[in-house]
Amino acid sequence: MPSQLASLKQWVDDVARLTQPDQVHWCDGSDAENALMVERMLANGDLLKLNEQTHPNCYLHRSSPQDVARVEHLTFVCTTNPADAGPNNHWMEPAEAHAQMDALYAGCMRGRTMYVVPYCMGPIDSPLSRCGVEITDSPYVVANMRIMTRMGAAAQARIEREGSFVKGLHSIGELDPNRRFIMHFPEELSIQSFGSGYGGNALLGKKCHALRIASYQARTEGWLAEHMLIVGIENPKGETHYVAAAFPSACGKTNLAMLIPPEGYRRDGWKVWTVGDDICWMHPGADGRLYAINPEAGYFGVAPGTSEKTNANAMAMLNHDAIFTNVGVTADNQPWWEGMTTGAPAQDWQGRPYDRAVSPAAHPNARFTVSAKQCPSYTDKAEDPQGVPLSAIIFGGRRASLVPLVLEARDWTHGVLVGASMASETTAAATGAVGVVRRDSMAMKPFAGYNFGDYFAHWLSFDKPGAKLPKIFQVNWFRKDADGKFMWPGFGDNLRVLEWVLKRATGQAGALETPVGNVPNPADLNTDGLGLDAAVLEQLLTVDREGYKAEMASIGEYLDEFGDRTPHALKAERARIAAQLA
Ligand code: GTP
Ligand code: SPV
Ligand code: MN
């Protein structure tokens, strides 16, 4: 139903005049509308139906082979003052960016339908939620936004009531990588994306709105928009503590959010509840604690590596009503990707006969889209308008060496330094080289909508009288031995580390103090039934002082990249640790 809100109506009219679609469709989010989208995509080849017996209502989308991941080099934050975007972002002058985008958008929807997609990030009745409208010419985007957000009539009603929303304009254009831009205008609360139909480039509610624009809004409004999963850990006494954890793209958020406890833990009564797997909005509550909501309603998860062994919860939610993007298929048309323990690929992600010498069956960044409610560990706390109170915040990355399995920050300031100085090996989630270690502060390098120096200061500002902040930790599941093998089993066994984290947060576990943080003594971790070599555990928990001296020097150089925007308190904290190590 076209909007009664003058600003929304006006914007949609302006966009239609610029892009010249054949039709304008206002999305209501209904089942009938979704059936129409699917019908259109089956007709034009955007979707292929998967095996109806084994995977009812499941579809495969094969994206353009040149359009398979986020494109950081084509993603811009367009602020009036370049220093507000910071050295952590690509910047373009707003007027220049608008001129470039207008030229690309001119007439780009001729012969197409323009969809107007109202959506709400967060529970529809939560004061912490924020709304947006995405205009797109891609029915694939409409179908994905319907799963990933609260999309349709209820969101539109909220937008009309509140009168404000984030404006997102998206066109797939010709899917030409040379005519592709993802532009953000935080001062205007708007996003413009052209030339990609993939994931975070195109589903504008996700990284563009819920991280880049939201982080900018959150700074002025006193909250945090973060690249974090949210998980509830229920102990045998029936107490549930919530943890938020930031890992860079394709570094284990979905897996940790859906963790299945090791057998001994299950027997003792431990349970894990999934609130979110990618994005977390945190607000200080009246009681001084930080409360978190998951602004998303679905999961856009990495398929390769997902298996009965690593993530049985994810496998169970992918049997029906899911969209698969760039996976392979079996001879009987079931989805297939590397790491699966059953079946065999017949075609690869580009639809060619599978040949291991030519290509993996699934693209390394192949994804599934599925409603959060289909996950066996779903909790209706994900719908709680107040959010869940956090007991711990964890930062983690892929570090083959140096960083121990887990360490605890001394206090909030130290924790912010730990997050700010995170580094991780790059992955297939973004176009470019894979496996290169780079600084990725709070796993937000590709997603912070403003200068990291200001962002670190904003993080520090939460430590004020009356605040009951979560404790901050760092983890590393990805240490490798001399043979290049992972030293820690990971996945379900990560609960062993979470148990120590929560015990530390409630003052019930021991630790060894070191200049870079507190690490568990081997006896402080529950390793029952793990069968891990004592020497390996020892190595995982050892702080390499010489290695950390070099790391601290490198962190000093990194903090200096943000000039005088880097808070003095953070530099002082780094200097204090460096001095202790010396
Ligand atoms: P985005 O959706 O891109 O933000 O990624 P994510 O952080 O949710 O990563 P995800 O959980 O999808 O994991 C990415 C890859 O890391 C998958 O191939 C996993 O199998 C692998 N992985 C996840 N957890 C672990 C772990 O504990 N140990 C090891 N070795 N690999 C892991
Ligand atoms: C990520 O890259 O961190 C993702 C996938 O979660 S995307 O939606 O493409 O950003
Ligand atoms: Mn992500």
Side-chain angles (χ1 to χ4, degrees), residues 24 59 96 186 188 362 427-428 557:
V24 177
Y59 299 93
E96 188 193 332
E188 302 166 17
T427 65
E557 284 168 24

Side-chain angles (χ1 to χ4, degrees), residues 179 304 353:
R179 285 162 51 84

Side-chain angles (χ1 to χ4, degrees), residues 86-88 441 451-454 456 557-566 571:
N88 46 302
S441 298
N451 190 314
F452 259 164
D454 298 333
F456 303 151
E557 284 168 24
Y558 173 68
L559 293 180
D560 284 342
E561 286 177 27
F562 308 97
D564 51 11
R565 297 231 179 184
T566 302
K571 292 187 184 177

Side-chain angles (χ1 to χ4, degrees), residues 73-125:
H73 61 296
L74 303 173
T75 299
F76 290 78
V77 171
C78 308
T79 46
T80 311
N81 178 355
D84 290 340
N88 46 302
N89 279 302
H90 299 294
W91 176 84
M92 201 183 289
E93 205 267 312
E96 188 193 332
H98 276 301
Q100 284 203 26
M101 296 308 282
D102 282 354
L104 292 169
Y105 285 131
C108 72
M109 295 190 191
R110 265 187 213 113
R112 298 180 187 169
T113 298
M114 177 175 117
Y115 299 96
V116 181
V117 183
Y119 63 86
C120 180
M121 299 312 291
I124 200 88
D125 56 348

Side-chain angles (χ1 to χ4, degrees), residues 69-70 198-201 203 206-207 227 248-250 253 278 300 365 367 429-430 447:
R70 284 182 296 100
Y198 199 88
N201 300 334
L203 313 176
K206 199 173 175 61
K207 298 304 173 40
H227 191 202
S249 303
K253 290 182 300 301
D278 198 49
F300 184 64
N365 192 37
R367 300 252 167 185
F447 308 121

Side-chain angles (χ1 to χ4, degrees), residues 67-72 198 201 248-251 300 302 304 326 360 362-367 398 425-436 438:
D67 184 31
V68 293
R70 284 182 296 100
V71 281
E72 295 180 4
Y198 199 88
N201 300 334
S249 303
C251 291
F300 184 64
V302 177
N326 294 341
H363 185 277
N365 192 37
R367 300 252 167 185
R398 262 177 208 272
E425 295 155 24
T426 52
T427 65
T431 303
V434 168
V436 180
R438 66 163 182 185

Side-chain angles (χ1 to χ4, degrees), residues 86-279:
N88 46 302
N89 279 302
H90 299 294
W91 176 84
M92 201 183 289
E93 205 267 312
E96 188 193 332
H98 276 301
Q100 284 203 26
M101 296 308 282
D102 282 354
L104 292 169
Y105 285 131
C108 72
M109 295 190 191
R110 265 187 213 113
R112 298 180 187 169
T113 298
M114 177 175 117
Y115 299 96
V116 181
V117 183
Y119 63 86
C120 180
M121 299 312 291
I124 200 88
D125 56 348
S126 169
L128 311 184
S129 301
R130 295 287 184 277
C131 292
V133 177
E134 175 167 357
I135 294 178
T136 178
D137 53 11
S138 162
Y140 168 79
V141 166
V142 175
N144 276 271
M145 285 291 284
R146 180 170 181 269
I147 297 173
M148 294 303 296
T149 73
R150 283 85 172 170
M151 182 271 258
Q156 191 175 321
R158 177 163 170 167
I159 288 166
E160 286 176 8
R161 203 165 61 239
E162 292 182 331
S164 69
F165 60 97
V166 171
K167 295 184 175 83
L169 172 53
H170 169 252
S171 171
I172 56 173
E174 312 83 34
L175 296 173
D176 176 356
N178 296 312
R179 285 162 51 84
R180 181 176 295 164
F181 284 109
I182 324 293
M183 299 284 191
H184 302 75
F185 304 91
E187 291 154 0
E188 302 166 17
L189 300 185
S190 83
I191 304 154
Q192 301 202 331
S193 164
F194 188 90
S196 167
Y198 199 88
N201 300 334
L203 313 176
L204 302 187
K206 199 173 175 61
K207 298 304 173 40
C208 299
H209 177 165
L211 289 178
R212 296 192 194 94
I213 299 292
S215 62
Y216 184 96
Q217 269 185 307
R219 182 186 171 213
T220 55
E221 296 174 3
W223 51 283
L224 287 162
E226 297 299 326
H227 191 202
M228 292 178 175
L229 67 97
I230 309 167
V231 67
I233 310 290
E234 183 178 333
N235 67 21
K237 287 185 245 165
E239 303 158 345
T240 303
H241 285 277
Y242 294 92
V243 174
F247 305 148
S249 303
C251 291
K253 290 182 300 301
T254 301
N255 279 270
L256 192 67
M258 295 172 193
L259 177 155
I260 293 183
E263 200 196 309
Y265 279 78
R266 280 206 300 276
R267 210 175 37 232
D268 291 346
W270 290 79
K271 295 194 179 95
V272 170
W273 302 105
T274 310
V275 178
D277 83 327
D278 198 49
I279 303 182

